[in-house]
Amino acid sequence: MTSYKVEQVPSPLNVLGEGPHWCIERQSLYYNDIYGGTIHRYDYAQNVTYTAKIDGYPVIGFIIPVKNSHTEFIIGTDRKLTLIDWDGVSEKASFVRTVGEVEFDKLDNRFNDAKVDPKGRFYGGTMRLEEKGDIFEMRLGTFYRYDAKKKEFVCLKKSIGVSNGLCWNEKKNLLYYIDSCDLDVKEYHVDENGDISKERVVIDFCINGERPKFVPDGMTIDSEGFLYVATFGGHTVYKVDPSSGKIVLEIKLPAEQVTSAAFGGPNLDILFVTTAAKEFKSPQPPPAGALFKVTGLGVKGTPMYSVDLS
């Protein structure tokens, strides 16, 4: 039986903490508060979290470092990929340029979760704004890959409810993806161009056709290929064996709204977990919204990659 330890990391309490990205070069965890409109850098060596805002951007879907740059990042702003400059310490980051935009005809959509594959390619998707109604009512989102050479978005999957967690098994050329409204995790084969095929449901969280009390949210993967699925409303990160679809470990957190997870630390053996304090319902009591670290899992994660915009 795995014995793990959960600790709160020195950090602000987020409205909707999301998007943890461990940067090996900086030995730091970057993440964001979607509706707090902030970006964060947790410096592992200092055990300190730095926070910044970007003028004019009250909603930030994700933050991802840019390859071959120490201060540039892309963030999700509405339906745009936005390039910013941040030294990782200052309380203000600055707009550089708009990288690309999607869905000019869907003004009520926004980018949600996004990540980068081992080849530096951006993958991310959209969803309808939560304030516009029940997220299960409409499927107006799309899952995209960004082609940096052609400077265009490639549609990978339409009719998405809430585009969410994604991670790769690089050895097997597999992508794992969550549309939260499907209440499952799906697996895809990834070809040389980065396009996906051979959809397979890895795990369905419905029980006898009934919705669970949570929705699957963000996700990461360890070096052995096991998935770690955050549950919004479930207090838990589930460790899932994708070959069998079985839950092999339940990692319990002292916050109900668990949003995402990423492996980090000098040995990639610490699971960092983001949470939310509020999302269009009554505020959750502290430590909801905190960043947590889970140690003692006895596994290592896989490297996360910076986006290649060249």
Side-chain angles (χ1 to χ4, degrees):
M1 184 69 181
T2 300
S3 177
Y4 62 85
K5 181 180 181 181
V6 177
E7 298 173 89
Q8 186 174 340
V9 173
S11 60
L13 298 181
N14 290 317
V15 178
L16 184 52
E18 264 285 6
H21 180 109
W22 177 258
C23 179
I24 293 175
E25 293 80 10
R26 302 172 182 85
Q27 287 294 291
S28 295
L29 185 83
Y30 292 90
Y31 65 108
N32 57 288
D33 184 348
I34 294 181
Y35 286 112
T38 52
I39 54 176
H40 308 291
R41 181 181 70 89
Y42 169 66
D43 187 301
Y44 179 81
Q46 296 179 8
N47 196 32
V48 170
T49 299
Y50 297 92
T51 298
K53 281 182 169 286
I54 306 103
D55 289 339
Y57 295 103
V59 178
I60 297 172
F62 56 82
I63 177 171
I64 301 172
V66 174
K67 186 178 180 180
N68 298 326
S69 174
H70 290 293
T71 62
E72 288 187 329
F73 303 83
I74 57 169
I75 61 173
T77 57
D78 297 324
R79 302 168 324 283
K80 299 177 182 177
L81 301 190
T82 299
L83 184 68
I84 63 167
D85 188 89
W86 184 40
D87 62 9
V89 176
S90 302
E91 295 180 357
K92 283 290 182 73
S94 58
F95 170 86
V96 177
R97 64 181 173 90
T98 298
V99 175
E101 184 173 1
V102 299
E103 302 174 9
F104 296 90
D105 59 335
K106 296 179 180 177
L107 302 184
D108 290 339
N109 276 12
R110 69 167 176 85
F111 265 111
N112 196 43
D113 206 356
K115 285 185 182 176
V116 173
D117 78 352
K119 294 186 177 181
R121 297 177 294 209
F122 170 90
Y123 287 72
T126 56
M127 60 176 286
R128 186 178 68 157
L129 291 167
E130 296 94 329
E131 65 194 47
K132 298 299 178 179
D134 187 341
I135 62 172
F136 287 93
E137 286 180 352
M138 306 284 283
R139 289 182 172 269
L140 300 177
T142 301
F143 182 44
Y144 299 97
R145 169 174 63 80
Y146 181 68
D147 188 321
K149 292 183 179 178
K150 296 181 179 179
K151 293 183 170 56
E152 65 182 23
F153 289 90
V154 177
C155 173
L156 299 177
K157 190 173 174 62
K158 294 182 178 180
S159 299
I160 300 295
V162 177
S163 190
N164 234 320
L166 58 163
C167 57
W168 287 263
N169 184 321
E170 185 176 0
K171 297 176 183 177
K172 297 182 178 180
N173 292 321
L174 296 175
L175 165 69
Y176 296 97
Y177 174 70
I178 292 172
D179 176 349
S180 291
C181 291
D182 287 343
L183 301 169
D184 63 19
V185 178
K186 292 185 173 71
E187 175 192 273
Y188 297 91
H189 173 76
V190 183
D191 68 17
E192 186 65 26
N193 294 323
D195 295 327
I196 60 175
S197 62
K198 302 178 183 178
E199 180 178 288
R200 179 178 77 91
V201 174
V202 171
I203 182 171
D204 185 342
F205 290 104
C206 290
I207 302 173
N208 298 321
E210 295 292 325
R211 287 187 193 176
K213 294 181 180 180
F214 62 83
V215 296
D217 202 327
M219 176 172 57
T220 192
I221 190 170
D222 69 22
S223 60
E224 298 175 351
F226 289 91
L227 308 177
Y228 296 75
V229 181
T231 61
F232 194 95
H235 289 277
T236 304
V237 173
Y238 287 116
K239 180 180 180 180
V240 177
D241 182 349
S243 63
S244 66
K246 301 296 184 182
I247 294 171
V248 296
L249 180 66
E250 298 183 9
I251 303 168
K252 294 296 182 181
L253 281 298
E256 177 185 343
Q257 298 173 152
V258 184
T259 56
S260 195
F263 281 99
N267 300 311
L268 292 181
D269 59 353
I270 300 170
L271 186 69
F272 290 99
V273 182
T274 53
T275 64
K278 180 183 178 183
E279 198 227 1
F280 299 104
K281 61 182 181 180
S282 59
Q284 301 289 308
L291 175 67
F292 297 93
K293 66 177 181 179
V294 185
T295 54
L297 291 171
V299 297
K300 290 187 177 183
T302 59
M304 299 185 76
Y305 297 93
S306 300
V307 63
D308 189 350
L309 297 179
S310 62

